[in-house]
Amino acid sequence: MSPWQQCEPVPNATEPGVVGQRGSGMGRAAEGCGTVSVAIPLTMMITGMVGNGLAMLLVSRSYRAKGSRRKRSFLLCIGSLAITDMLGQLLTSPIVISVYLANRTWEAVDPSGHLCVFFGFSMTVFGLCPLLIASAMAVERALAIRAPHWYASHMNPRLTKGGLLAIWTAVVAFALLPVAGLGQYTLQWPGTWCFISTGDGRPGGSTVFAATFAVLGLLSLVVTVACNLATIEALVSRCRTKATEAHSSKQWGRITMETLIQLLGIMCVLSACWSPLLITMLKIIWGHTFEHCKGVPGEAPGSELHRECNFFLTAVRLASLNQILDPWVYLLLRKILLQKFCQAANAVSKCSNTECKERSITLSEEIRRTTA
C-alpha cells in the first residue's frame, strides 16, 4: 500500500472514473504533482524491501536450524507476513512511482481502467492479509502460553500452513468481489491512486464492500490486542510463580520484560497504523463525506472539507507504513534489543565476551519459546 504522492487538487475537478469507465477530472489532480520529489515513495519501498528481506533471511535460517520444531509455527507466520508485506510493496510502489514520473493524468496512463482495478485489488489484499496474519499470530502466541499442553499436541506446521493458505485464499476472493460486480475500485482524491469506493451515498454493493473491509480490519485489531493482552497476563503470572525460585526469577523477569515490550510495540504499531484508516472509512460511509472529496470543487486549501480529504490520505499513508514496520516489531528490533541488553549486562557485571554471548543465546531462545 503506497499512495505516497503529495499533490494539490486542481480546482473544478469532477467525478473520477469508476472501474471500467474513464475518469474526467479527477486524474487532472495528478498534474499538481510536478513539484513533489519521488524520493518519498522510493525510500519507503527500499526500506520496506530491506527490512522484510532481512526478516525472511533470519526466518529461513532459524526454521532450518536444529531444535526449531517447537517454534516452526511462529516462524511460518513471521515469514508469511514478511513475504506478504514485500509483495505488497513490489506490486504497488512501482505503480505510484511510475505514475508520478510520467507526469500525466491517471487516465492518460491508464485509459482502460485496468491498472486502477489492479491497484485497488492489491491495496485490498495486501492491506487485509497482514492484519489477519497478525491476528493469527496473536492467537497462536496466546494458545502457546495459556494452553501449552493443547498447543503441543495439536499445533503443527501443517496446520499453520493450512491456516495461512486459508487467509490468503479468503482475502483474494474477497478482493475479487468488485470484479464480479459487488463493490468498486475507483480513482481516489487527489487522482493519483485507487482504492475501494465508499459508495455514492445510497445503500448498495460499494458501501457494503467498503464497510466489510473496515469491519474485518477492526475485528482483526481487536483480536490481536485481546490475545496479546492475554499473553502478557499469562507471562506476568508465570513470572510471579517463578519468583519463588531464586535462580530463574531474574531470567524470567528479563524474558517477561522483553516480551512485554515487544507485544506492546506490536499493538501500538498496528493500532497507530490502521485505526485511523478503518475508523475514517466507516465515518465516510455513514456520513457520505468522501464523495465530495472526489473533486473538492472550488474548495480552498484551508477549508474543512479539504482537511477531511487530506486526513483520509494521511490515514492511508499511515497504513502503508505498517508494511515497513512489521519486520522490525516482530523480529529485527527484538534482536537489536537483545544485543543492547547483553552489552548493558556486560558493562554492569564485567562478564567475559563468551559469557555474554551465551547469555544472549539463552535469553533469545527463551523469548522465542515464550512468543512461539
Side-chain angles (χ1 to χ4, degrees), residues 101-272:
L101 291 177
N103 197 25
R104 299 160 65 192
T105 63
W106 183 282
E107 60 240 13
V109 176
D110 178 33
S112 65
H114 296 324
L115 184 62
C116 186
V117 177
F118 175 77
F119 194 94
F121 169 81
S122 299
M123 291 275 287
T124 302
V125 170
F126 298 107
L128 200 53
C129 264
L131 284 173
L132 294 177
I133 292 174
S135 295
M137 292 173 65
V139 172
E140 190 262 353
R141 271 191 303 268
L143 289 175
I145 298 298
R146 302 189 70 90
H149 298 296
W150 184 94
Y151 181 88
S153 60
H154 291 83
M155 201 68 182
N156 56 69
R158 180 179 296 179
L159 181 62
T160 304
K161 291 176 183 177
L164 292 171
L165 181 60
I167 289 175
W168 282 325
T169 302
V171 172
V172 168
F174 173 76
L176 286 174
L177 288 178
V179 179
L182 181 61
Q184 292 174 332
Y185 294 124
T186 59
L187 197 60
Q188 304 290 323
W189 185 86
T192 54
W193 59 292
C194 294
F195 193 45
I196 299 170
S197 170
T198 53
D200 56 3
R202 299 186 300 270
S206 296
T207 301
V208 171
F209 183 70
T212 303
F213 176 88
V215 170
L216 285 175
L218 287 172
L219 285 176
S220 299
L221 286 179
V222 170
V223 170
T224 301
V225 171
C227 289
N228 283 344
L229 289 176
T231 301
I232 290 173
E233 189 274 334
L235 281 174
V236 171
S237 297
R238 188 175 299 182
C239 184
R240 289 174 179 172
T241 302
K242 294 284 185 179
T244 57
E245 305 174 22
H247 176 70
S248 60
S249 176
K250 292 183 179 180
Q251 186 184 42
W252 267 99
R254 290 194 299 266
I255 293 171
T256 302
M257 183 57 65
E258 293 277 353
T259 308
L260 187 146
I261 292 173
Q262 184 192 17
L263 294 180
L264 287 177
I266 290 170
M267 290 187 290
C268 290
V269 167
L270 278 175
S271 300

Side-chain angles (χ1 to χ4, degrees), residues 64 89 93 129 144 185 212 217 241 258 282 295 311 333 335-336 354:
R64 288 188 292 232
Q89 291 163 337
S93 294
C129 264
Y185 294 124
T212 303
T241 302
E258 293 277 353
L282 291 178
F311 180 80
L333 186 59
K335 288 187 172 291
I336 293 174
T354 302

